[in-house]
Amino acid sequence: MHQKLLKSVHYIELGSYQYWPVLLPRGIRLYTYEQIPVFLKDNPYITDGYRAYLPSKLCLKSLFILSNETINIWSHLLGFLLFFILGVYDMISVLPSANASREDFVICSICLFCFQVCMLCSVGYHLFCCHRSEKTSRRWMALDYAGISIGILGCYVSGVFYAFYCNNYWRQVYLITVLAMILAVFFCSNSPQLPHPTMAQAALCYILLCVWLWNNSYSALDLVKWRCWNFSCSTIKF
């Protein structure tokens, strides 16, 4: 038994560290950058510790091995559990004690649900990116980008809802605009063209551009509305 265990111990070199002993399930091995397929070669500075050529079942088993995706997988998985626990705690303790309205429950649920979806999509991508099928790997990448857009939606829904709590018209305008932008990113990330790396990078740039435009354009719009409001008030007083 002891000899069999030793045979299952593989030594891999991770960065500047010495060889780490890693227990690998049968059928899973780790590769260097030169050994992995082209569609996995995104960062030449990560030289080894790659999972590759795995079917779906072994992708799931690789959750419990040490590789260069371990931190990515578990940080998002623990993030999902954190948001799930926070959601349950808010629903059964925080919101009832604050006499929250039904709208508060809905907005809080949407916000935390979006964060959980974002975390799970990232877990799925980092877990299945090593799939032997390039198409499957790219589809999980597309789902990861879609999850990011859903996470952004969760950030803005709660902010817009409470920032314009007393102005229903502008609240609807902002929410519809945000939803339209997020849907555009979602459909872009799930486009058949996304499996190409250049399109994946373009989708990420589009997400960042949407966030930047949102922050700057609406800040400028708020400034214009504020100036118009103060001008009209001063005119009336005069």
Side-chain angles (χ1 to χ4, degrees), residues 59-133:
C59 287
L60 289 172
K61 286 186 176 181
S62 68
L63 174 67
F64 302 102
I65 71 170
L66 180 63
S67 69
N68 58 21
E69 290 282 6
T70 299
I71 295 179
N72 285 330
I73 295 171
W74 282 97
S75 60
H76 289 93
L77 185 57
L78 293 176
F80 163 76
L81 294 176
L82 174 63
F83 286 121
F84 178 78
I85 294 172
L86 286 176
V88 173
Y89 178 71
D90 287 344
M91 294 301 153
I92 65 177
S93 178
V94 176
L95 293 179
S97 63
N99 295 322
S101 64
R102 182 181 300 177
E103 290 180 335
D104 294 324
F105 277 92
V106 172
I107 294 300
C108 183
S109 299
I110 292 175
C111 181
L112 291 174
F113 176 75
C114 288
F115 294 158
Q116 292 174 54
V117 171
C118 180
M119 294 292 106
L120 280 182
C121 289
S122 291
V123 170
Y125 166 64
H126 291 294
L127 192 59
F128 289 97
C129 64
C130 59
H131 199 277
R132 60 189 176 188
S133 167

Side-chain angles (χ1 to χ4, degrees), residues 158-233:
S158 57
V160 170
F161 182 84
Y162 289 109
F164 295 92
Y165 196 82
C166 298
N167 194 324
N168 188 56
Y169 172 77
W170 283 108
R171 182 173 63 183
Q172 292 180 357
V173 170
Y174 277 48
L175 286 176
I176 292 174
T177 305
V178 172
L179 183 60
M181 293 168 61
I182 296 301
L183 286 176
V185 175
F186 183 85
F187 287 115
C188 176
S189 63
N190 285 275
S191 168
Q193 301 298 324
L194 188 66
H196 299 284
T198 53
M199 289 302 298
Q201 295 170 2
L204 179 59
C205 292
Y206 183 74
I207 293 173
L208 298 176
L209 178 62
C210 286
V211 175
W212 183 84
L213 288 175
W214 164 263
N215 288 328
N216 288 276
S217 61
Y218 278 131
S219 296
L221 181 60
D222 289 338
L223 179 61
V224 171
K225 289 190 298 182
W226 181 80
R227 293 292 296 174
C228 292
W229 172 260
N230 281 273
F231 177 77
S232 60
C233 290

